[in-house]
């Protein structure tokens, strides 16, 4: 059996790219269908990161070049580090701006967290008032 390596490479590359497109599509559907900011943020962050990862790996497989693979590894490394951190920072700022949660969200644990932080903020404000006087 004679297999053409270029054909196999294109099949593998296409599979990675299609998987990436699938995750991007799921993220886009989640962005449109999920009920509140926080769940949409989760869907778009995970879907876009996975989708982008699969697409660039597919590109790397297609070109099969060391220099391109190093660039792709750099892209993957920085994206996998920065995307969750950016999503976390955006979500924390939404919490501080009091963006509302979905009405069916179970927030018992979150309320405990907020109460704890408010107490800390009150204590810090009281500490600042004492220091100023």
């Amino acid at each position: 059996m004679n297999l053409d390596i270029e054909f196999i490479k294109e099949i593998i590359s296409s599979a990675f790219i299609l998987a990436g497109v699938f995750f991007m599509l799921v993220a886009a559907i989640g962005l449109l269908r999920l009920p509140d900011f926080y769940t949409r943020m989760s869907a778009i962050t995970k879907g876009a990161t996975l989708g982008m990862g699969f697409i660039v790996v597919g590109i790397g497989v297609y070109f099969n070049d060391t220099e391109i693979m190093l660039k792709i590894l750099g892209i993957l490394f920085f994206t996998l580090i920065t995307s969750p951190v950016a999503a976390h920072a955006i979500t924390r700022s939404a919490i501080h701006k009091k963006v509302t949660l979905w009405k069916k969200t179970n927030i018992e644990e979150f309320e405990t967290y907020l109460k704890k932080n408010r107490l800390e903020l009150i204590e810090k404000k009281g500490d600042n008032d004492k220091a100023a006087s």
Side-chain angles (χ1 to χ4, degrees):
M1 186 169 179
N2 189 10
L3 291 176
D4 184 15
I5 193 74
E6 291 296 320
F7 180 70
I8 293 172
K9 193 169 68 175
E10 286 181 11
I11 296 286
I12 293 171
S13 172
S14 298
F16 274 112
I17 292 172
L18 286 175
V21 169
F22 171 75
F23 280 111
M24 294 269 193
L25 178 66
V26 169
I29 291 170
L31 185 65
L32 294 174
R33 300 285 307 197
L34 290 174
D36 68 349
F37 172 79
Y38 302 102
T39 54
R40 289 179 190 152
M41 189 71 194
S42 174
I44 196 69
T45 302
K46 291 173 187 168
T49 303
L50 274 173
M52 187 280 312
F54 276 112
I55 289 172
V56 295
V57 168
I59 292 170
V61 169
Y62 180 78
F63 285 108
N64 197 19
D65 183 44
T66 306
E67 184 179 341
I68 291 175
M69 283 306 259
L70 287 175
K71 290 177 182 176
I72 286 172
L73 287 176
I75 291 169
L76 284 174
F77 176 75
F78 287 112
T79 302
L80 291 176
I81 288 176
T82 58
S83 182
V85 173
H88 181 76
I90 292 168
T91 304
R92 280 188 67 94
S93 68
I95 289 170
H96 288 289
K97 292 289 181 184
K98 298 183 176 149
V99 174
T100 57
L101 293 164
W102 184 35
K103 63 184 176 188
K104 292 183 179 178
T105 302
N106 183 2
I107 58 170
E108 290 176 14
E109 186 176 333
F110 183 64
E111 283 179 336
T112 305
Y113 169 78
L114 284 178
K115 286 178 184 175
K116 205 181 254 184
N117 278 345
R118 285 187 182 140
L119 287 175
E120 288 176 6
L121 288 175
I122 290 170
E123 288 174 8
K124 285 182 182 176
K125 187 176 181 182
D127 291 342
N128 289 339
D129 291 341
K130 289 177 187 175
S133 59

